[in-house]
Amino acid sequence: MCTLTGFSRCVLVSLALAPAALAQTGSSSLAPDEGQASPAILAPGPGGIADGFGASLMWVVENQSEQVFVVDVASLSATLVGPSGISVNFGGLGYDPATAILYAWSTDAGGSLYTVDQTVGTFGLVGSDPLFGADTFDIRPTDSLAIAWSVLGELHDIDLGSGAATFRVATTGSGIASAFGPDGTYYNLDRGDDILYTVDVDTGVRTPVGPLGIDVGSTNVAFNPDDGYLYAIEILDATYPLYRIDPSSGAAVVAGNVTGLPANSGQQITMSTFLIEGQGSSVLAIPAMSPYGLAVLGSALALVALVLLTRRRA
Protein backbone atom coordinates (compact mmCIF):
# COMPACT_ATOMS: atom_id res chain seq x y z
CA MET A 1 0.00 0.00 0.00
CA CYS A 2 1.24 3.52 -0.78
CA THR A 3 1.82 5.81 2.14
CA LEU A 4 1.56 9.57 2.06
CA THR A 5 5.28 9.89 2.75
CA GLY A 6 5.95 7.82 -0.33
CA PHE A 7 3.32 9.65 -2.37
CA SER A 8 5.56 10.91 -5.18
CA ARG A 9 7.22 7.51 -5.56
CA CYS A 10 3.81 5.86 -5.62
CA VAL A 11 2.59 8.09 -8.46
CA LEU A 12 5.67 7.31 -10.55
CA VAL A 13 5.25 3.57 -9.96
CA SER A 14 1.55 3.85 -10.84
CA LEU A 15 2.39 5.50 -14.14
CA ALA A 16 4.89 2.77 -14.94
CA LEU A 17 2.51 -0.07 -14.06
CA ALA A 18 -0.60 1.40 -15.66
CA PRO A 19 -0.07 -0.17 -19.14
CA ALA A 20 0.26 -3.66 -17.60
CA ALA A 21 -2.83 -3.11 -15.49
CA LEU A 22 -4.76 -2.10 -18.58
CA ALA A 23 -3.71 -5.22 -20.44
CA GLN A 24 -4.80 -7.44 -17.54
CA THR A 25 -8.25 -5.86 -17.48
CA GLY A 26 -8.90 -6.58 -21.13
CA SER A 27 -8.09 -3.06 -22.36
CA SER A 28 -5.08 -4.18 -24.35
CA SER A 29 -6.64 -2.75 -27.51
CA LEU A 30 -5.60 0.66 -26.27
CA ALA A 31 -1.95 -0.30 -26.03
CA PRO A 32 0.39 0.17 -29.01
CA ASP A 33 0.54 -2.78 -31.40
CA GLU A 34 3.58 -4.99 -31.17
CA GLY A 35 6.27 -3.78 -33.50
CA GLN A 36 4.67 -0.34 -33.77
CA ALA A 37 7.20 2.46 -33.63
CA SER A 38 7.10 4.63 -30.55
CA PRO A 39 5.95 8.21 -31.12
CA ALA A 40 8.88 10.47 -31.94
CA ILE A 41 9.85 13.00 -29.30
CA LEU A 42 9.66 16.34 -31.07
CA ALA A 43 12.75 18.51 -30.84
CA PRO A 44 12.20 22.16 -29.87
CA GLY A 45 12.24 24.59 -32.78
CA PRO A 46 14.16 27.88 -32.64
CA GLY A 47 11.18 29.54 -30.97
CA GLY A 48 11.37 27.07 -28.09
CA ILE A 49 8.18 25.11 -28.82
CA ALA A 50 8.20 21.53 -30.09
CA ASP A 51 8.08 21.25 -33.87
CA GLY A 52 4.76 19.93 -35.16
CA PHE A 53 2.81 20.76 -31.99
CA GLY A 54 -0.59 22.33 -32.53
CA ALA A 55 -2.64 23.19 -35.58
CA SER A 56 0.00 25.26 -37.43
CA LEU A 57 -2.68 27.04 -39.44
CA MET A 58 -1.54 30.01 -41.50
CA TRP A 59 -4.29 32.41 -42.57
CA VAL A 60 -3.82 33.87 -46.05
CA VAL A 61 -5.70 35.95 -48.59
CA GLU A 62 -5.26 35.29 -52.32
CA ASN A 63 -5.68 38.62 -54.09
CA GLN A 64 -6.76 37.41 -57.54
CA SER A 65 -9.63 35.24 -56.29
CA GLU A 66 -10.21 37.57 -53.30
CA GLN A 67 -10.68 34.55 -51.06
CA VAL A 68 -9.55 33.70 -47.52
CA PHE A 69 -7.84 30.37 -46.84
CA VAL A 70 -6.14 28.59 -43.96
CA VAL A 71 -2.97 26.70 -44.83
CA ASP A 72 -1.83 23.78 -42.72
CA VAL A 73 1.94 24.15 -42.99
CA ALA A 74 2.46 20.63 -41.67
CA SER A 75 0.36 18.86 -44.32
CA LEU A 76 0.89 21.57 -47.00
CA SER A 77 -2.87 21.74 -47.64
CA ALA A 78 -5.16 24.76 -47.87
CA THR A 79 -8.82 24.98 -46.90
CA LEU A 80 -11.15 27.66 -48.22
CA VAL A 81 -12.74 29.78 -45.49
CA GLY A 82 -14.75 31.93 -47.90
CA PRO A 83 -14.79 35.01 -50.15
CA SER A 84 -13.61 38.30 -48.66
CA GLY A 85 -16.40 40.22 -50.35
CA ILE A 86 -14.13 43.14 -51.32
CA SER A 87 -11.63 43.99 -54.04
CA VAL A 88 -8.43 42.88 -52.31
CA ASN A 89 -5.21 44.82 -52.81
CA PHE A 90 -1.81 44.62 -51.16
CA GLY A 91 -1.79 44.76 -47.38
CA GLY A 92 -1.65 42.32 -44.51
CA LEU A 93 -3.41 40.28 -41.85
CA GLY A 94 -3.05 40.70 -38.09
CA TYR A 95 -4.60 38.91 -35.14
CA ASP A 96 -5.37 40.68 -31.85
CA PRO A 97 -5.19 38.12 -29.01
CA ALA A 98 -6.81 40.55 -26.58
CA THR A 99 -10.10 40.43 -28.51
CA ALA A 100 -9.58 37.27 -30.65
CA ILE A 101 -10.34 39.40 -33.73
CA LEU A 102 -8.58 38.87 -37.06
CA TYR A 103 -7.94 42.11 -38.97
CA ALA A 104 -6.90 42.91 -42.54
CA TRP A 105 -5.39 46.04 -44.03
CA SER A 106 -5.93 46.58 -47.74
CA THR A 107 -4.48 49.41 -49.83
CA ASP A 108 -7.77 50.63 -51.27
CA ALA A 109 -8.81 54.30 -51.06
CA GLY A 110 -5.43 54.93 -49.45
CA GLY A 111 -5.78 52.17 -46.91
CA SER A 112 -8.67 50.47 -45.14
CA LEU A 113 -8.89 48.36 -42.00
CA TYR A 114 -11.27 45.41 -41.94
CA THR A 115 -12.28 42.69 -39.53
CA VAL A 116 -12.21 39.17 -40.99
CA ASP A 117 -14.99 36.74 -40.15
CA GLN A 118 -13.08 33.61 -39.14
CA THR A 119 -16.07 31.41 -40.01
CA VAL A 120 -16.92 32.56 -43.55
CA GLY A 121 -14.04 34.90 -44.50
CA THR A 122 -16.11 38.06 -45.04
CA PHE A 123 -14.32 41.40 -44.56
CA GLY A 124 -16.14 44.04 -42.52
CA LEU A 125 -15.00 47.65 -42.89
CA VAL A 126 -13.72 49.34 -39.72
CA GLY A 127 -12.48 52.55 -41.30
CA SER A 128 -10.18 54.10 -43.92
CA ASP A 129 -7.17 56.41 -43.98
CA PRO A 130 -5.34 58.24 -46.79
CA LEU A 131 -2.09 56.46 -45.82
CA PHE A 132 -0.27 55.63 -49.06
CA GLY A 133 1.08 52.20 -50.00
CA ALA A 134 1.07 50.32 -46.69
CA ASP A 135 1.80 46.95 -48.22
CA THR A 136 2.25 45.09 -44.94
CA PHE A 137 0.30 45.12 -41.68
CA ASP A 138 0.87 43.33 -38.38
CA ILE A 139 -0.34 43.25 -34.78
CA ARG A 140 2.09 42.71 -31.91
CA PRO A 141 0.67 39.93 -29.71
CA THR A 142 2.22 41.22 -26.50
CA ASP A 143 0.25 44.49 -26.41
CA SER A 144 -1.99 44.64 -29.54
CA LEU A 145 0.11 47.36 -31.19
CA ALA A 146 -1.02 47.50 -34.83
CA ILE A 147 1.48 48.69 -37.45
CA ALA A 148 1.19 49.36 -41.17
CA TRP A 149 4.47 49.66 -43.08
CA SER A 150 4.39 52.05 -46.04
CA VAL A 151 6.45 51.55 -49.20
CA LEU A 152 7.74 55.06 -48.48
CA GLY A 153 9.71 53.54 -45.60
CA GLU A 154 7.45 54.60 -42.72
CA LEU A 155 5.85 52.74 -39.83
CA HIS A 156 2.36 53.92 -38.88
CA ASP A 157 0.27 53.00 -35.86
CA ILE A 158 -3.23 51.83 -36.82
CA ASP A 159 -6.16 52.44 -34.49
CA LEU A 160 -8.04 49.13 -34.41
CA GLY A 161 -11.23 50.94 -33.46
CA SER A 162 -11.30 53.42 -36.35
CA GLY A 163 -8.67 52.46 -38.92
CA ALA A 164 -6.93 55.83 -38.51
CA ALA A 165 -3.16 55.85 -39.15
CA THR A 166 -0.63 57.86 -37.15
CA PHE A 167 3.00 58.27 -38.25
CA ARG A 168 5.34 56.40 -35.91
CA VAL A 169 8.88 56.41 -37.32
CA ALA A 170 10.85 56.26 -40.55
CA THR A 171 12.66 53.01 -41.32
CA THR A 172 16.02 52.19 -42.86
CA GLY A 173 14.53 50.00 -45.56
CA SER A 174 11.45 48.66 -47.23
CA GLY A 175 8.86 46.53 -45.46
CA ILE A 176 7.70 44.18 -48.25
CA ALA A 177 6.94 41.35 -45.79
CA SER A 178 6.89 41.47 -42.00
CA ALA A 179 5.61 39.62 -38.93
CA PHE A 180 5.70 39.80 -35.15
CA GLY A 181 6.89 36.85 -33.11
CA PRO A 182 5.18 35.75 -29.88
CA ASP A 183 7.70 37.75 -27.81
CA GLY A 184 7.08 40.95 -29.79
CA THR A 185 10.13 40.73 -32.04
CA TYR A 186 9.38 42.36 -35.39
CA TYR A 187 10.78 40.45 -38.38
CA ASN A 188 11.23 41.73 -41.92
CA LEU A 189 11.77 39.47 -44.92
CA ASP A 190 13.36 41.57 -47.65
CA ARG A 191 12.88 39.90 -51.03
CA GLY A 192 15.18 42.49 -52.60
CA ASP A 193 18.39 41.37 -50.88
CA ASP A 194 17.11 38.00 -49.54
CA ILE A 195 18.01 38.84 -45.95
CA LEU A 196 15.94 38.45 -42.78
CA TYR A 197 15.97 41.46 -40.45
CA THR A 198 14.59 42.41 -37.08
CA VAL A 199 13.11 45.88 -36.79
CA ASP A 200 13.07 48.27 -33.83
CA VAL A 201 9.58 49.78 -33.96
CA ASP A 202 10.70 52.76 -31.87
CA THR A 203 13.76 53.78 -33.91
CA GLY A 204 12.93 52.19 -37.25
CA VAL A 205 16.38 50.60 -37.47
CA ARG A 206 16.61 47.22 -39.20
CA THR A 207 19.22 44.76 -37.93
CA PRO A 208 20.20 41.84 -40.18
CA VAL A 209 19.61 38.37 -38.73
CA GLY A 210 21.18 36.59 -41.67
CA PRO A 211 20.86 35.67 -45.35
CA LEU A 212 17.99 33.47 -46.50
CA GLY A 213 20.43 31.41 -48.56
CA ILE A 214 17.93 31.01 -51.41
CA ASP A 215 15.85 33.36 -53.53
CA VAL A 216 12.51 33.88 -51.77
CA GLY A 217 10.01 35.77 -53.91
CA SER A 218 7.37 36.43 -51.25
CA THR A 219 5.50 39.52 -50.15
CA ASN A 220 4.10 37.74 -47.12
CA VAL A 221 5.61 36.19 -44.00
CA ALA A 222 4.13 34.92 -40.74
CA PHE A 223 5.49 33.53 -37.47
CA ASN A 224 4.23 30.08 -36.49
CA PRO A 225 4.05 29.84 -32.67
CA ASP A 226 3.63 26.05 -32.90
CA ASP A 227 7.16 25.36 -34.14
CA GLY A 228 8.99 28.69 -33.83
CA TYR A 229 9.62 29.21 -37.56
CA LEU A 230 8.62 31.91 -40.02
CA TYR A 231 6.69 30.85 -43.14
CA ALA A 232 6.25 32.56 -46.49
CA ILE A 233 4.49 31.59 -49.73
CA GLU A 234 5.96 32.49 -53.14
CA ILE A 235 3.85 34.83 -55.28
CA LEU A 236 3.24 34.55 -59.04
CA ASP A 237 3.72 30.79 -58.94
CA ALA A 238 0.75 28.43 -59.39
CA THR A 239 2.58 25.67 -57.46
CA TYR A 240 2.68 27.81 -54.30
CA PRO A 241 6.15 27.02 -52.87
CA LEU A 242 6.14 27.35 -49.07
CA TYR A 243 9.35 28.51 -47.36
CA ARG A 244 10.30 27.79 -43.75
CA ILE A 245 12.69 30.36 -42.28
CA ASP A 246 14.76 30.06 -39.12
CA PRO A 247 14.28 33.33 -37.18
CA SER A 248 17.58 32.84 -35.35
CA SER A 249 19.73 32.64 -38.49
CA GLY A 250 17.60 33.71 -41.46
CA ALA A 251 18.23 30.40 -43.25
CA ALA A 252 15.31 29.40 -45.49
CA VAL A 253 14.33 26.04 -46.95
CA VAL A 254 11.51 24.96 -49.25
CA ALA A 255 9.02 23.09 -47.05
CA GLY A 256 7.02 21.95 -50.08
CA ASN A 257 4.19 23.12 -52.32
CA VAL A 258 0.78 24.03 -50.94
CA THR A 259 -2.23 22.32 -52.48
CA GLY A 260 -5.84 23.53 -52.43
CA LEU A 261 -5.19 27.13 -53.49
CA PRO A 262 -6.48 28.62 -56.80
CA ALA A 263 -4.58 27.33 -59.86
CA ASN A 264 -3.47 30.73 -61.09
CA SER A 265 0.04 31.59 -62.26
CA GLY A 266 -0.72 35.21 -61.42
CA GLN A 267 -1.60 34.40 -57.79
CA GLN A 268 -0.66 36.91 -55.14
CA ILE A 269 -0.62 35.78 -51.54
CA THR A 270 0.19 39.16 -50.03
CA MET A 271 -1.52 38.73 -46.65
CA SER A 272 -0.72 36.08 -44.03
CA THR A 273 -0.67 35.50 -40.28
CA PHE A 274 -0.90 32.83 -37.61
CA LEU A 275 -3.22 33.34 -34.65
CA ILE A 276 -0.65 34.03 -31.93
CA GLU A 277 -1.98 34.29 -28.40
CA GLY A 278 -0.48 37.03 -26.23
CA GLN A 279 2.01 36.15 -23.51
CA GLY A 280 -0.49 37.31 -20.93
CA SER A 281 -3.26 35.11 -22.32
CA SER A 282 -4.92 32.62 -20.02
CA VAL A 283 -5.40 30.23 -22.94
CA LEU A 284 -3.20 27.15 -22.58
CA ALA A 285 -2.60 24.98 -25.63
CA ILE A 286 -2.66 21.30 -24.69
CA PRO A 287 -1.72 18.65 -27.24
CA ALA A 288 -4.27 15.96 -28.01
CA MET A 289 -3.65 12.59 -26.33
CA SER A 290 -4.14 9.17 -27.87
CA PRO A 291 -6.67 6.75 -26.30
CA TYR A 292 -3.71 4.82 -24.91
CA GLY A 293 -2.28 7.94 -23.29
CA LEU A 294 -5.66 8.90 -21.86
CA ALA A 295 -6.10 5.42 -20.41
CA VAL A 296 -2.67 5.52 -18.76
CA LEU A 297 -3.37 8.96 -17.33
CA GLY A 298 -6.79 7.82 -16.09
CA SER A 299 -5.31 4.80 -14.33
CA ALA A 300 -2.66 6.93 -12.66
CA LEU A 301 -5.24 9.45 -11.45
CA ALA A 302 -7.43 6.64 -10.12
CA LEU A 303 -4.50 5.27 -8.09
CA VAL A 304 -3.73 8.73 -6.74
CA ALA A 305 -7.36 9.11 -5.67
CA LEU A 306 -7.19 5.73 -3.92
CA VAL A 307 -4.11 6.83 -1.99
CA LEU A 308 -5.82 10.00 -0.83
CA LEU A 309 -8.99 8.12 0.16
CA THR A 310 -6.97 5.53 2.13
CA ARG A 311 -5.08 8.30 3.92
CA ARG A 312 -8.34 10.06 4.86
CA ARG A 313 -9.87 6.89 6.30
CA ALA A 314 -6.73 6.19 8.28
Side-chain angles (χ1 to χ4, degrees):
M1 178 180 293
C2 296
T3 63
L4 192 59
T5 55
F7 180 79
S8 297
R9 184 183 303 170
C10 176
V11 171
L12 291 174
V13 171
S14 299
L15 285 169
L17 295 179
L22 284 170
Q24 291 175 2
T25 57
S27 301
S28 57
S29 60
L30 294 176
D33 296 333
E34 292 185 7
Q36 181 180 357
S38 299
I41 297 176
L42 300 175
I49 303 176
D51 294 343
F53 176 82
S56 295
L57 295 180
M58 180 180 180
W59 288 72
V60 303
V61 178
E62 200 285 300
N63 291 25
Q64 301 302 311
S65 64
E66 299 174 344
Q67 294 176 320
V68 180
F69 295 84
V70 288
V71 174
D72 186 327
V73 299
S75 66
L76 299 173
S77 60
T79 301
L80 175 65
V81 178
S84 66
I86 71 162
S87 177
V88 177
N89 293 296
F90 282 80
L93 290 174
Y95 176 72
D96 181 9
T99 59
I101 296 175
L102 180 61
Y103 291 92
W105 180 270
S106 182
T107 53
D108 49 26
S112 296
L113 180 69
Y114 298 87
T115 57
V116 181
D117 189 312
Q118 297 173 48
T119 302
V120 296
T122 307
F123 281 29
L125 180 64
V126 176
S128 300
D129 190 276
L131 172 62
F132 172 76
D135 284 352
T136 185
F137 166 82
D138 305 280
I139 298 177
R140 189 163 63 185
T142 54
D143 59 4
S144 301
L145 171 68
I147 288 182
W149 194 337
S150 168
V151 293
L152 299 178
E154 300 173 346
L155 300 184
H156 292 258
D157 291 354
I158 303 298
D159 187 320
L160 295 178
S162 67
T166 303
F167 174 78
R168 183 178 186 86
V169 68
T171 62
T172 56
S174 174
I176 302 299
S178 56
F180 281 110
D183 63 354
T185 300
Y186 199 25
Y187 296 95
N188 168 218
L189 186 160
D190 194 320
R191 65 194 293 255
D193 57 16
D194 285 320
I195 292 177
L196 180 69
Y197 295 86
T198 58
V199 184
D200 188 318
V201 298
D202 295 318
T203 65
V205 174
R206 298 194 308 165
T207 301
V209 174
L212 301 177
I214 57 176
D215 182 26
V216 177
S218 300
T219 57
N220 64 86
V221 70
F223 194 105
N224 182 3
D226 295 335
D227 65 9
Y229 287 98
L230 292 155
Y231 286 86
I233 299 176
E234 184 91 1
I235 65 169
L236 304 178
D237 188 331
T239 66
Y240 295 94
L242 175 70
Y243 301 98
R244 184 173 64 243
I245 304 163
D246 188 332
S248 65
S249 68
V253 298
V254 179
N257 298 87
V258 179
T259 61
L261 292 168
N264 184 347
S265 60
Q267 63 84 3
Q268 295 189 35
I269 301 286
T270 62
M271 303 182 184
S272 67
T273 193
F274 288 88
L275 307 189
I276 300 178
E277 296 297 337
Q279 290 186 332
S281 172
S282 60
V283 177
L284 177 63
I286 301 175
M289 295 184 69
S290 67
Y292 174 68
L294 289 171
V296 171
L297 178 60
S299 296
L301 292 175
L303 288 171
V304 170
L306 180 61
V307 171
L308 295 176
L309 181 60
T310 302
R311 174 65 180 173
R312 178 176 296 180
R313 287 177 176 175

